């Protein structure tokens, strides 16, 4: 775009963001007469009026800070010129006070998925090999590479083989109260819909997290910790586990271990290969939405488009999870007011309070978020970031809350409480049962998950052009004036159907981009 342009989110805002690629130099004059006092990078804020020292700075019609000094109209507003407001209190919040009009049901949309015995539906057909401890990760990685090179081609209906690697299982306080979080997370990931009900475990043998502890028999279920959530107890596993134990006496040498894993994998691959896609309603989608490498455009383009798609999914009867406690904490009043019931509102408050206490134990606070990249992209503090993050959730009532690692048991818009770290959030959403992931980014990140398709949405056209073979959708067209939020929302909705059906692959799938899973472990090591 050649002419100077800024974007103001609300009529009451006294700042706006510079929209032009590369930013604008001091002296630039906008069509309304605003003249820049400073050079202002793209996505960064400009003062629309003179601001006295201590004056309120408002974006999204929310106070995002207070001016640290007098700032004339046209000044660059950033983290160095703002004092962040105090965190909102968790008492006296509006509880289920917003009652939006019911949106018309969205019917007739389907995708081609894999129906599982438990009623869930996968968007991919993957063999997952669960590990009980980090010590076996190298062995499993070697085995997975051999399975792919020697076996996978025989089973054309199987999409992939993945090892569920993590850093948990041995030097941990396995009986500490909070140990339930990583244990149930790994257990529920093992039962993700994309794995077809085939549970295969590789154990070392001496670890604290024994296979029977991870996937207990019916007579000894591992109950969720009630103070972290009120979801029903996890379903018990079958009494017979398919476990390859590396310390078993029959293993003589490294290749004996690899042979055992490959031999057992072949049994699972044979069963998975018999599965076929079938037409299922869009209501069987379980979509996780997340943002990473955010910038000031996240709340202008990509996240509003995802929010519109979220509303479409909820109207179609699907499940959508939004997360990232520290990234929505400053908008808690918006969330509790949208809760479907006071009980749901209180559950969100409980999760925020638990995380506040967790940060306090680590002598950290919410100012640790935002990141250097967020700030370079124009986000001055976590208050501003929160306002842009929340809009991914759309406009429908929030009907449920999940504590970390819990399994999703209902339809609708769900708040899944997770840390904001990309891969911890993704890991926990996988545990909840996610079969499709939407990830928005303004700075850019090669984020991906081996267990689930990840649709990457760029907030800016410049990023979409430079990372043309990493970004699946360019929401920057909204800022360019080439598309509306509604246009992009529908585009995302239809793309989700195509990718869920296996008719298209995401760029992350194409390049096989993914990191190891990261289990959220607030329990101490021993």
């Amino acid at each position: 775009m050649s002419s100077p342009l800024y974007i103001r989110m609300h009529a009451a805002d006294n700042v706006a963001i510079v929209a032009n690629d590369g930013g604008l130099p001091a002296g630039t004059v906008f069509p309304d007469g605003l003249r820049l006092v400073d050079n202002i990078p793209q996505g960064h804020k400009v003062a629309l009026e003179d601001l006295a020292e201590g004056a309120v700075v408002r974006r999204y019609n929310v106070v995002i800070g207070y001016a640290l000094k007098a700032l004339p109209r046209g000044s660059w507003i950033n983290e160095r010129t703002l004092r962040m407001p105090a965190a909102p209190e968790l008492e006296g919040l509006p509880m289920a006070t917003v009652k939006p009009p019911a949106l018309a049901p969205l019917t007739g949309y389907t995708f081609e998925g894999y129906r599982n015995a438990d009623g869930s539906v996968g968007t991919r057909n993957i063999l997952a090999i669960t590990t009980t401890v980090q010590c076996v990760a190298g062995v499993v990685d070697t085995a997975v590479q051999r399975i792919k090179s020697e076996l996978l081609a025989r089973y054309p209906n199987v999409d992939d083989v993945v090892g569920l690697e993590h850093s948990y299982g041995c030097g941990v306080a396995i009986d500490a109260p909070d140990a339930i979080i990583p244990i149930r997370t790994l257990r529920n990931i093992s039962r993700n819909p994309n794995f077809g009900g085939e549970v295969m475990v590789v154990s070392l043998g001496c670890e604290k997290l024994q296979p029977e502890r991870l996937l207990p028999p019916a007579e000894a279920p591992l109950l969720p910790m009630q103070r972290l959530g009120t979801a029903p107890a996890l379903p018990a596993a079958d009494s017979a586990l398919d476990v390859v134990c590396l310390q078993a006496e029959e293993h003589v040498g490294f290749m004996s271990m690899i042979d055992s894993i490959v031999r057992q994998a072949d049994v699972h691959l044979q069963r998975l290969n018999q599965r076929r896609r079938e037409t299922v309603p869009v209501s069987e989608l379980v979509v996780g939405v997340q943002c990473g490498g955010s910038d000031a455009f996240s709340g202008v383009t990509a996240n509003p488009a995802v929010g519109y798609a979220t509303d479409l999914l909820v109207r179609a009867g699907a499940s959508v999870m939004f997360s990232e406690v520290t990234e929505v904490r400053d908008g808690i009043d918006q969330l509790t007011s949208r809760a479907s019931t006071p009980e749901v509102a209180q559950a969100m408050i409980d999760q925020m309070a638990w995380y506040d206490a967790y940060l306090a134990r680590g002598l950290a606070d919410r100012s640790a978020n935002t990141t250097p990249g967020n700030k370079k992209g124009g986000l001055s503090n976590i208050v501003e970031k929160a306002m842009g993050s929340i809009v991914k959730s759309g406009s429908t009532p929030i009907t449920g809350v999940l504590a970390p690692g819990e399994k999703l048991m209902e339809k609708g818009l769900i708040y899944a409480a997770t840390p904001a770290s990309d891969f911890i959030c993704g890991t926990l959403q996988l545990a909840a049962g996610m079969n499709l992931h939407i990830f928005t980014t303004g700075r850019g990140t090669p984020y991906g998950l081996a267990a689930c398709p990840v649709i990457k949405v760029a907030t800016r056209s410049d990023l979409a052009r430079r990372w043309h073979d990493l970004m699946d959708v360019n929401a920057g067209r909204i800022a360019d004036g080439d598309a509306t939020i509604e246009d992009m929302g529908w585009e995302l909705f239809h793309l989700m159907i195509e990718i869920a059906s296996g008719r298209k692959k995401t760029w992350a799938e194409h390049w096989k981009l993914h990191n190891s899973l990261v289990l959220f472990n607030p329990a101490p090591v021993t």
Side-chain angles (χ1 to χ4, degrees):
M1 56 188 73
S2 54
S3 61
L5 178 66
Y6 64 71
I7 298 175
R8 185 182 198 178
M9 296 304 296
H10 191 276
D13 292 352
N14 55 10
V15 294
I17 64 169
V18 169
N20 301 75
D21 285 353
L24 295 171
T28 298
V29 179
F30 290 88
D32 64 357
L34 175 68
R35 179 183 294 271
L36 294 188
V37 174
D38 305 300
N39 299 330
I40 301 184
Q42 183 187 30
H44 283 247
K45 293 176 290 297
V46 56
L48 300 178
E49 60 188 45
D50 293 336
L51 299 171
E53 182 178 348
V56 163
V57 176
R58 190 178 294 273
R59 186 175 181 225
Y60 297 103
N61 196 27
V62 168
V63 177
I64 64 168
Y66 302 92
L68 287 174
K69 61 180 181 180
L71 297 164
R73 183 173 184 254
S75 295
W76 180 14
I77 307 299
N78 54 57
E79 69 275 9
R80 296 181 297 277
T81 62
L82 291 180
R83 174 173 60 85
M84 187 165 66
E89 297 291 335
L90 295 179
E91 298 179 356
L93 292 166
M95 309 286 277
T97 53
V98 174
K99 304 296 181 184
L103 299 175
L106 194 61
T107 60
Y109 289 94
T110 61
F111 71 99
E112 304 301 308
Y114 294 97
R115 179 76 69 178
N116 297 315
D118 64 359
S120 66
V121 174
T123 61
R124 294 294 182 267
N125 190 26
I126 297 171
L127 171 60
I129 301 176
T130 299
T131 59
T132 57
V133 66
Q134 196 274 341
C135 308
V136 305
V139 178
V140 170
D141 181 65
T142 300
V144 166
Q145 297 309 313
R146 183 170 153 190
I147 293 165
K148 289 182 177 182
S149 64
E150 296 181 9
L151 297 183
L152 195 56
R154 303 180 196 171
Y155 303 109
N157 296 319
V158 180
D159 294 308
D160 204 358
V161 180
V162 301
L164 302 183
E165 301 174 7
H166 55 88
S167 59
Y168 193 71
C170 186
V172 294
I174 198 72
D175 293 317
D178 287 348
I180 179 61
I181 297 175
I183 294 173
R184 72 182 173 200
T185 299
L186 185 56
R187 178 190 309 165
N188 282 330
I189 289 174
S190 301
R191 294 171 173 149
N192 184 277
N194 288 348
F195 301 152
E198 297 292 324
V199 180
M200 177 180 170
V201 182
V202 175
S203 163
L204 180 60
C206 61
E207 64 271 22
K208 292 183 178 181
L209 183 57
Q210 289 288 300
E212 295 78 14
R213 179 75 178 258
L214 175 62
L215 294 156
E219 63 270 20
L222 184 61
L223 299 176
M225 183 175 165
Q226 290 302 308
R227 76 177 178 86
L228 288 179
T230 57
L234 295 165
D238 294 335
S239 57
L241 288 179
D242 183 6
V243 179
V244 175
C245 178
L246 301 188
Q247 290 176 347
E249 292 184 1
E250 64 265 25
H251 290 140
V252 179
F254 177 67
M255 291 313 300
S256 173
M257 303 174 189
I258 300 299
D259 290 342
S260 291
I261 296 171
V262 173
R263 185 167 53 250
Q264 289 305 109
D266 194 37
V267 175
H268 293 278
L269 288 169
Q270 291 177 40
R271 288 198 289 261
L272 286 171
N273 195 56
Q274 296 173 13
R275 306 176 78 217
R276 298 293 185 273
R277 290 186 182 271
E278 59 183 89
T279 301
V280 295
V282 165
S283 58
E284 298 298 343
L285 286 177
V286 181
V287 179
V289 299
Q290 186 189 354
C291 50
S294 301
D295 68 354
F297 281 92
S298 294
V300 179
T301 59
N303 289 348
V306 171
Y308 192 88
T310 292
D311 285 350
L312 295 176
L313 289 165
V314 172
R315 289 171 58 192
S319 303
V320 182
M321 294 177 286
F322 73 107
S323 300
E324 302 164 291
V325 173
T326 53
E327 294 198 1
V328 300
R329 170 68 174 80
D330 277 83
I332 182 61
D333 58 326
Q334 297 179 31
L335 303 182
T336 57
S337 62
R338 280 178 58 200
S340 58
T341 67
E343 291 75 19
V344 171
Q346 186 59 53
M348 280 189 282
I349 293 171
D350 292 345
Q351 291 300 329
M352 302 295 166
W354 184 89
Y355 208 79
D356 283 356
Y358 172 72
L359 290 177
R361 290 202 306 271
L363 302 179
D365 62 36
R366 77 199 218 283
S367 67
N369 192 335
T370 56
T371 69
N374 295 155
K375 293 173 183 176
K376 191 172 182 179
L379 294 173
S380 296
N381 57 40
I382 189 56
V383 183
E384 183 179 9
K385 188 176 181 181
M387 296 307 109
S389 178
I390 287 173
V391 296
K392 296 192 305 295
S393 65
S395 63
T396 62
I398 302 164
T399 57
V401 177
L402 288 179
E406 287 184 338
K407 182 79 171 177
L408 183 62
M409 306 294 287
E410 58 189 301
K411 303 286 189 180
L413 179 63
I414 308 297
Y415 181 66
T418 77
S421 174
D422 295 348
F423 280 95
I424 301 179
C425 178
T427 299
L428 290 168
Q429 289 185 341
L430 283 173
M434 174 175 69
N435 56 19
L436 188 64
H437 200 30
I438 311 296
F439 188 98
T440 66
T441 182
R443 303 302 298 166
T445 168
Y447 174 93
L449 296 171
C452 177
V454 178
I455 299 173
K456 304 282 277 299
V457 184
T459 70
R460 298 176 297 118
S461 292
D462 177 63
L463 174 64
R465 285 190 296 267
R466 290 188 295 110
W467 288 30
H468 58 90
D469 53 0
L470 287 169
M471 298 292 113
D472 300 292
V473 177
N474 176 21
R477 293 164 51 207
I478 296 170
D480 297 342
D482 297 330
T484 65
I485 290 171
E486 293 79 4
D487 293 336
M488 295 305 306
W490 275 108
E491 180 177 321
L492 265 172
F493 181 76
H494 289 296
L495 181 61
M496 283 188 271
I497 291 173
E498 291 298 296
I499 288 175
S501 299
R503 293 188 287 265
K504 288 186 177 181
K505 284 190 174 182
T506 66
W507 277 115
E509 287 182 290
H510 174 80
W511 298 119
K512 297 191 180 299
L513 288 175
H514 61 87
N515 286 37
S516 298
L517 303 177
V518 182
L519 300 183
F520 178 39
N521 179 24
V525 298
T526 58

